[in-house]
Amino acid sequence: MASYFDELHVEEDEIPTVRIERLTRETFRMLFDHDPARYGDIINFQNTPPASKSEIAKLKAPSFEELIDEQCRICLCQYQLNDEALNMPCNHIFHENCLKTWLEKSNFCPLCKFELKTDNEMYELYKQELKNRQSREDNIAQLHDSMFS
Amino acid sequence: MNNIATQRIKREFKEVIKSEELAKCSIKVDLVGDSYTELKGEIAGPPDTPYEGGIFLLEIKVPETYPFNPPKVRFMTKIWHPNISSVTGAICLDILKDQWAAAMTLRTVLLSLQALMAAAEPDDPQDAVVAKQYKEYPEIFAKTASHWTNVYAGGIICS
């Protein structure tokens, strides 16, 4: 019988964050095999889902001063008087229309990849699981350090 | 093509033309015809790699939904690399797929491709045969890649 590690293709030298992401994906894939109707969306995480409409509605406009001599990094145009702009929670500013078009497609900041919440339950579950695994791994690493130092 | 796509490509065009990489002859972008939907890119093979000395041509197609969707990029010059098809020139690079972000530009794409040439990712291959050789026989890989550079990309013969 193949060992647990062989079966999950665990390689010794794999980078921890890469391994965590891969294992999380594989777990979800197994869930999908078990119940395709319920977990159907998960295996399509190649593209991130759009940002939640309610999250987009929460975004605030920056002050006029913040726009002076600045450029929207989506359309690469300088802000003009009366241009409508929005501030992401990570403090990156874009034209309102530019940003909204982008967030209808992907949930992250075009500059720094800061993620807004989505309406995709499965994606949120997946993100949560990823986070849990990461913190578990960190805890183990901490425990190891405390034992051997 | 819609306004924002054309307008953006025009601006980016200036950005690449002014960039220091162009001055160093490491990347270049040219128009193909009058429209801004099709462009021709050029990347110099990075130093200390089997691609050094070669000039690699790229086909760049700008979709109408640019910059909300990535440009479609393909190597027109034949190249021996694990993440690039040795037959079609198709590229396997995350930022040209799901990792694309609207703030990325032609310049960042070309520089990323140059970085990919310098550091292949054989675990996410586009060309399985090349990737296998890269992993199992690195020396033969380097010789093949440099030979392809000489033959197809006008590289200097280095023994």
Side-chain angles (χ1 to χ4, degrees), chain B residues 124-145:
Chain B
D124 188 16
Q126 175 76 36
D127 195 308
V129 177
V130 185
K132 192 169 187 293
Q133 191 195 51
Y134 180 94
K135 280 177 145 179
E136 291 173 11
Y137 310 100
E139 282 170 18
I140 300 178
F141 164 81
K143 275 193 181 152
T144 316

Short mmCIF file of all heavy atoms in Angstrom, two decimals, chain B residues 124-145:
data_model
loop_
_atom_site.label_atom_id
_atom_site.label_comp_id
_atom_site.label_asym_id
_atom_site.label_seq_id
_atom_site.Cartn_x
_atom_site.Cartn_y
_atom_site.Cartn_z
N ASP B 124 6.02 23.33 -13.08
CA ASP B 124 4.78 23.81 -13.70
C ASP B 124 5.06 23.96 -15.19
O ASP B 124 5.05 25.06 -15.73
CB ASP B 124 4.39 25.16 -13.06
CG ASP B 124 3.02 25.61 -13.52
OD1 ASP B 124 2.27 24.78 -14.07
OD2 ASP B 124 2.71 26.80 -13.35
N PRO B 125 5.35 22.83 -15.86
CA PRO B 125 5.89 22.93 -17.22
C PRO B 125 4.83 23.21 -18.28
O PRO B 125 3.65 22.93 -18.10
CB PRO B 125 6.50 21.55 -17.45
CG PRO B 125 5.70 20.63 -16.61
CD PRO B 125 5.20 21.43 -15.44
N GLN B 126 5.29 23.79 -19.38
CA GLN B 126 4.47 23.92 -20.57
C GLN B 126 4.90 22.83 -21.54
O GLN B 126 4.10 22.25 -22.25
CB GLN B 126 4.67 25.30 -21.20
CG GLN B 126 3.95 25.52 -22.52
CD GLN B 126 2.47 25.77 -22.31
OE1 GLN B 126 2.06 26.40 -21.35
NE2 GLN B 126 1.66 25.25 -23.22
N ASP B 127 6.19 22.56 -21.56
CA ASP B 127 6.73 21.53 -22.45
C ASP B 127 7.33 20.42 -21.61
O ASP B 127 8.41 20.54 -21.03
CB ASP B 127 7.81 22.17 -23.36
CG ASP B 127 8.15 21.27 -24.54
OD1 ASP B 127 8.45 20.10 -24.30
OD2 ASP B 127 8.10 21.75 -25.69
N ALA B 128 6.62 19.28 -21.53
CA ALA B 128 7.00 18.20 -20.62
C ALA B 128 8.37 17.61 -20.97
O ALA B 128 9.15 17.26 -20.08
CB ALA B 128 5.94 17.11 -20.65
N VAL B 129 8.66 17.51 -22.27
CA VAL B 129 9.92 16.93 -22.69
C VAL B 129 11.09 17.79 -22.21
O VAL B 129 12.07 17.31 -21.64
CB VAL B 129 9.97 16.77 -24.24
CG1 VAL B 129 11.32 16.24 -24.69
CG2 VAL B 129 8.84 15.88 -24.71
N VAL B 130 10.97 19.10 -22.44
CA VAL B 130 12.03 20.02 -22.02
C VAL B 130 12.18 19.99 -20.50
O VAL B 130 13.29 19.95 -19.97
CB VAL B 130 11.72 21.47 -22.49
CG1 VAL B 130 12.87 22.39 -22.17
CG2 VAL B 130 11.44 21.50 -23.98
N ALA B 131 11.05 19.98 -19.80
CA ALA B 131 11.08 20.00 -18.33
C ALA B 131 11.78 18.77 -17.78
O ALA B 131 12.57 18.84 -16.84
CB ALA B 131 9.67 20.11 -17.77
N LYS B 132 11.51 17.61 -18.40
CA LYS B 132 12.13 16.36 -17.96
C LYS B 132 13.64 16.44 -18.14
O LYS B 132 14.42 16.09 -17.25
CB LYS B 132 11.55 15.20 -18.79
CG LYS B 132 11.86 13.82 -18.26
CD LYS B 132 11.00 12.79 -19.01
CE LYS B 132 11.11 11.40 -18.46
NZ LYS B 132 12.36 10.72 -18.59
N GLN B 133 14.04 16.94 -19.31
CA GLN B 133 15.47 17.07 -19.57
C GLN B 133 16.12 18.06 -18.60
O GLN B 133 17.21 17.82 -18.09
CB GLN B 133 15.69 17.54 -21.03
CG GLN B 133 17.13 17.44 -21.47
CD GLN B 133 17.38 18.23 -22.73
OE1 GLN B 133 17.04 19.41 -22.83
NE2 GLN B 133 17.97 17.57 -23.73
N TYR B 134 15.43 19.14 -18.34
CA TYR B 134 15.93 20.17 -17.43
C TYR B 134 16.22 19.59 -16.05
O TYR B 134 17.22 19.89 -15.42
CB TYR B 134 14.88 21.29 -17.33
CG TYR B 134 15.24 22.45 -16.43
CD1 TYR B 134 15.84 23.58 -16.94
CD2 TYR B 134 14.93 22.41 -15.07
CE1 TYR B 134 16.15 24.66 -16.12
CE2 TYR B 134 15.24 23.48 -14.24
CZ TYR B 134 15.84 24.60 -14.78
OH TYR B 134 16.14 25.66 -13.95
N LYS B 135 15.30 18.71 -15.60
CA LYS B 135 15.45 18.14 -14.26
C LYS B 135 16.48 17.01 -14.24
O LYS B 135 17.27 16.91 -13.32
CB LYS B 135 14.11 17.56 -13.80
CG LYS B 135 13.15 18.61 -13.27
CD LYS B 135 11.85 17.92 -12.93
CE LYS B 135 11.17 18.52 -11.72
NZ LYS B 135 9.91 17.84 -11.44
N GLU B 136 16.45 16.16 -15.28
CA GLU B 136 17.26 14.95 -15.21
C GLU B 136 18.66 15.10 -15.80
O GLU B 136 19.60 14.47 -15.32
CB GLU B 136 16.51 13.78 -15.88
CG GLU B 136 15.30 13.37 -15.06
CD GLU B 136 14.42 12.34 -15.76
OE1 GLU B 136 14.87 11.79 -16.79
OE2 GLU B 136 13.30 12.11 -15.27
N TYR B 137 18.76 15.90 -16.84
CA TYR B 137 20.07 16.08 -17.47
C TYR B 137 20.36 17.57 -17.67
O TYR B 137 20.35 18.05 -18.81
CB TYR B 137 20.13 15.36 -18.82
CG TYR B 137 19.67 13.92 -18.77
CD1 TYR B 137 18.39 13.57 -19.18
CD2 TYR B 137 20.53 12.92 -18.31
CE1 TYR B 137 17.95 12.25 -19.12
CE2 TYR B 137 20.12 11.60 -18.26
CZ TYR B 137 18.81 11.26 -18.66
OH TYR B 137 18.40 9.96 -18.60
N PRO B 138 20.60 18.31 -16.58
CA PRO B 138 20.76 19.77 -16.69
C PRO B 138 21.84 20.20 -17.68
O PRO B 138 21.69 21.22 -18.35
CB PRO B 138 21.10 20.20 -15.26
CG PRO B 138 21.31 18.97 -14.47
CD PRO B 138 20.70 17.83 -15.19
N GLU B 139 22.91 19.40 -17.79
CA GLU B 139 23.99 19.81 -18.70
C GLU B 139 23.56 19.72 -20.16
O GLU B 139 23.84 20.61 -20.97
CB GLU B 139 25.23 18.96 -18.47
CG GLU B 139 25.98 19.43 -17.24
CD GLU B 139 27.09 18.48 -16.82
OE1 GLU B 139 27.50 17.65 -17.66
OE2 GLU B 139 27.51 18.58 -15.66
N ILE B 140 22.87 18.61 -20.48
CA ILE B 140 22.39 18.46 -21.85
C ILE B 140 21.35 19.53 -22.15
O ILE B 140 21.31 20.11 -23.23
CB ILE B 140 21.79 17.05 -22.08
CG1 ILE B 140 22.87 16.00 -21.81
CG2 ILE B 140 21.24 16.91 -23.49
CD1 ILE B 140 22.39 14.58 -21.94
N PHE B 141 20.52 19.83 -21.12
CA PHE B 141 19.53 20.90 -21.30
C PHE B 141 20.21 22.21 -21.68
O PHE B 141 19.82 22.87 -22.64
CB PHE B 141 18.70 21.10 -20.02
CG PHE B 141 17.94 22.40 -20.03
CD1 PHE B 141 16.74 22.51 -20.72
CD2 PHE B 141 18.47 23.55 -19.43
CE1 PHE B 141 16.07 23.71 -20.79
CE2 PHE B 141 17.81 24.75 -19.49
CZ PHE B 141 16.61 24.83 -20.17
N ALA B 142 21.23 22.58 -20.90
CA ALA B 142 21.91 23.86 -21.14
C ALA B 142 22.50 23.90 -22.54
O ALA B 142 22.42 24.92 -23.24
CB ALA B 142 23.00 24.08 -20.09
N LYS B 143 23.07 22.76 -22.99
CA LYS B 143 23.66 22.71 -24.33
C LYS B 143 22.58 22.87 -25.40
O LYS B 143 22.76 23.59 -26.37
CB LYS B 143 24.40 21.38 -24.53
CG LYS B 143 25.81 21.43 -23.99
CD LYS B 143 26.63 20.25 -24.47
CE LYS B 143 28.03 20.35 -23.87
NZ LYS B 143 28.65 19.03 -23.71
N THR B 144 21.46 22.16 -25.21
CA THR B 144 20.38 22.25 -26.19
C THR B 144 19.84 23.67 -26.26
O THR B 144 19.67 24.23 -27.35
CB THR B 144 19.22 21.30 -25.81
OG1 THR B 144 19.77 20.05 -25.40
CG2 THR B 144 18.27 21.09 -26.97
N ALA B 145 19.57 24.25 -25.09
CA ALA B 145 19.00 25.60 -25.04
C ALA B 145 19.94 26.59 -25.70
O ALA B 145 19.52 27.48 -26.46
CB ALA B 145 18.72 26.01 -23.60
#
